[in-house]
Amino acid sequence: MSRGFVKENDQEEIPMVPPRADLPDGMVNYVTQNGMDELLLEKETLLHEIETVANTDENERRITVNYINAKIQLLNQRIATAKVVDLSKQPHDEIRFGALISMQIGTDKKIQKYQIVGVDEANIAKGKISFISPIARILINKKVGDVAVLKLATEDREFKILGIGY
């Protein structure tokens, strides 16, 4: 059919859905149990949003539902590939996925606490860093008393491990 016979109003916008946190191809999607619970809760919330979309304008409703469905599709892919790591089976004297680490950063005397988590769970404001982040990568396999060094453009930043928990 020629485009001349299509009304402008019939052209539905394709929803632009922001991508989820980056997980490189071929990388296992590790999650903590808490992270998996958050993904499942997010899915429930989105499904509830679809049920409560206002019926004021049918076109707006369809666009909103399409947007939410697109988000659910991305979320379902993450849930399907998630591999929950049993933190009780991690070596308690070594930093691995899920570890809650107490450390001093550089010359700062303040003790910082961070947990190594999955990409969707990562939130620096909550002290949760992704297992694929440069900081997490230098901390993996370290033990209490070890110093991990992150090479930055202008300096080397040291992370002294003070405690490990799960």
Side-chain angles (χ1 to χ4, degrees):
M1 176 183 353
S2 168
R3 298 241 342 121
F5 294 106
V6 179
K7 289 190 247 174
E8 258 330 287
N9 294 349
D10 288 347
Q11 299 302 305
E12 196 165 297
E13 289 184 37
I14 297 171
M16 293 297 294
V17 179
R20 297 198 63 83
D22 185 45
L23 182 67
D25 289 338
M27 183 79 60
V28 177
N29 183 19
Y30 292 114
V31 297
T32 64
Q33 184 59 56
N34 185 54
M36 179 59 110
D37 293 344
E38 287 176 1
L39 290 172
L40 295 172
L41 179 61
E42 181 181 349
K43 182 177 178 178
E44 281 181 35
T45 302
L46 290 171
L47 290 171
H48 180 71
E49 278 183 38
I50 286 177
E51 294 172 3
T52 59
V53 171
N55 288 328
T56 54
D57 175 6
E58 186 57 35
N59 193 44
E60 277 298 313
R61 183 183 190 294
R62 189 171 44 253
I63 291 169
T64 302
V65 168
N66 286 344
Y67 177 77
I68 296 170
N69 279 330
K71 286 176 72 170
I72 290 171
Q73 186 177 6
L74 290 175
L75 181 59
N76 280 338
Q77 290 170 352
R78 278 296 165 86
I79 291 170
T81 62
K83 181 173 176 23
V84 178
V85 175
D86 183 350
L87 302 186
S88 69
K89 294 183 179 176
Q90 297 290 54
H92 293 280
D93 64 335
E94 208 171 277
I95 297 173
R96 298 285 177 91
F97 182 88
L100 180 59
I101 310 146
S102 300
M103 59 186 157
Q104 284 182 305
I105 302 172
T107 58
D108 188 359
K109 297 297 180 203
K110 183 179 176 195
I111 296 174
Q112 305 281 333
K113 291 187 179 194
Y114 293 97
Q115 183 180 20
I116 298 175
V117 297
V119 294
D120 288 296
E121 193 178 357
N123 181 338
I124 196 69
K126 293 181 179 179
K128 295 182 179 227
I129 56 175
S130 167
F131 73 99
I132 64 172
S133 70
I135 294 172
R137 289 179 182 214
I138 65 162
L139 292 171
I140 296 292
N141 297 326
K142 298 288 189 250
K143 298 181 179 199
V144 172
D146 287 351
V147 175
V149 179
L150 179 63
K151 296 195 177 294
L152 301 171
T154 58
E155 66 175 307
D156 289 350
R157 183 150 312 143
E158 294 185 348
F159 298 80
K160 181 171 179 159
I161 313 306
L162 303 175
I164 303 168
Y166 285 91

